[in-house]
Amino acid sequence: NAGVTQTPKFQVLKTGQSMTLQCAQDMNHEYMSWYRQDPGMGLRLIHYSVGAGITDQGEVPNGYNVSRSTTEDFPLRLLSAAPSQTSVYFCASHLGGQYNEQFFGPGTRLTVL
Amino acid sequence: KNEVEQSPQNLTAQEGEFITINCSYSVGISALHWLQQHPGGGIVSLFMLSSGKKKHGRLIATINIQEKHSSLHITASHPRDSAVYICAVSPSTRDSNYQLIWGAGTKLIIKP
């Protein structure tokens, strides 16, 4: 199993550009999440999904869109990149339920100029 | 006040020392997680526990549900243990949608 994969690993954007961060998992996990990690701060939840076709907002959803058309894939779209979105982005998945061990992707380091 | 607080924020120790990282939380939980993140690296789950104690190699995690407190211990610390250690809790409320509440992390540096 590849686990959780993310692409790209690094990305530099100009303000106003759009892009999609890809996330896929091959563990048949229902739950998938996107987090951002900023220096000195804990992980902050952007959006999450509890199954194909179902998504919801997390703590910091503004400026981001998600969709979940399949169980495996959960892309994160930046609609119009801003310098405040410079961060490291992690995708995670888990089986669901209360005892939800999280599996993380390797992260995408995004810089917005 | 954050619902999950870790201490210390930063910890530097010499190789071989016994390390303790603490996590306190203020909500009812069904489970507590400890995760590890090496510099520039991904995040790996170390432990998930809801009571008592778990051990894996030189790592030991304990939890006291009544006191809402957990500790992560590292015995015979080694420079390769240098990482950020993150505590997170699974709230026991039904409307949490099983999303975790995250601590800010403890940055550990072990010097040779």
Side-chain angles (χ1 to χ4, degrees):
Chain A
N1 285 352
V4 181
T5 58
Q6 287 183 241
T7 56
K9 289 202 74 174
F10 301 94
Q11 183 70 50
V12 178
L13 292 178
K14 294 182 180 177
T15 297
Q17 286 185 315
S18 63
M19 79 159 296
T20 299
L21 307 185
Q22 301 292 343
C23 174
Q25 51 89 14
D26 61 359
M27 298 173 282
N28 206 30
H29 286 173
E30 289 296 324
Y31 284 70
M32 296 186 75
S33 306
W34 275 103
Y35 295 94
R36 59 178 289 172
Q37 185 180 44
D38 300 295
M41 301 184 73
L43 290 166
R44 291 188 291 169
L45 183 64
I46 305 171
H47 285 283
Y48 65 98
S49 169
V50 301
I54 307 168
T55 63
D56 206 347
Q57 297 181 349
E59 182 185 353
V60 288
N62 292 341
Y64 308 95
N65 272 0
V66 292
S67 59
R68 184 98 179 269
S69 55
T70 67
T71 299
E72 294 77 22
D73 299 296
F74 191 43
L76 177 73
R77 294 183 197 84
L78 279 70
L79 308 171
S80 177
S84 60
Q85 293 178 303
T86 294
S87 188
V88 181
Y89 291 85
F90 288 98
C91 178
S93 73
H94 63 89
L95 268 172
Q98 294 177 321
Y99 305 98
N100 47 358
E101 181 185 359
Q102 304 262 315
F103 294 83
F104 282 83
T108 296
R109 186 172 294 272
L110 175 69
T111 302
V112 182
L113 302 176
Chain B
K1 190 179 190 309
N2 293 337
E3 292 170 304
V4 178
E5 296 207 337
Q6 291 184 234
S7 63
Q9 281 188 308
N10 296 282
L11 178 56
T12 300
Q14 291 297 129
E15 183 173 357
E17 286 188 34
F18 181 81
I19 303 299
T20 296
I21 299 170
N22 297 299
C23 177
S24 296
Y25 54 92
S26 57
V27 296
I29 69 168
S30 55
L32 182 141
H33 305 253
W34 282 103
L35 304 100
Q36 179 192 58
Q37 184 178 25
H38 280 106
I43 300 170
V44 176
S45 179
L46 297 175
F47 295 104
M48 183 173 60
L49 64 165
S50 53
S51 65
K53 177 174 155 178
K54 285 191 176 181
K55 185 174 190 282
H56 185 246
R58 294 180 294 106
L59 299 178
I60 304 165
T62 65
I63 188 168
N64 185 318
I65 296 292
Q66 287 73 30
E67 294 186 3
K68 291 189 163 69
H69 181 268
S70 175
S71 293
L72 177 68
H73 305 286
I74 305 174
T75 61
S77 59
H78 189 275
R80 66 175 174 265
D81 297 324
S82 298
V84 175
Y85 292 85
I86 305 169
C87 172
V89 301
S90 301
S92 54
T93 54
R94 286 185 186 177
D95 61 359
S96 70
N97 248 326
Y98 308 120
Q99 292 303 322
L100 302 184
I101 303 175
W102 297 86
T106 294
K107 185 175 181 180
L108 174 65
I109 297 173
I110 304 295
K111 293 186 174 180

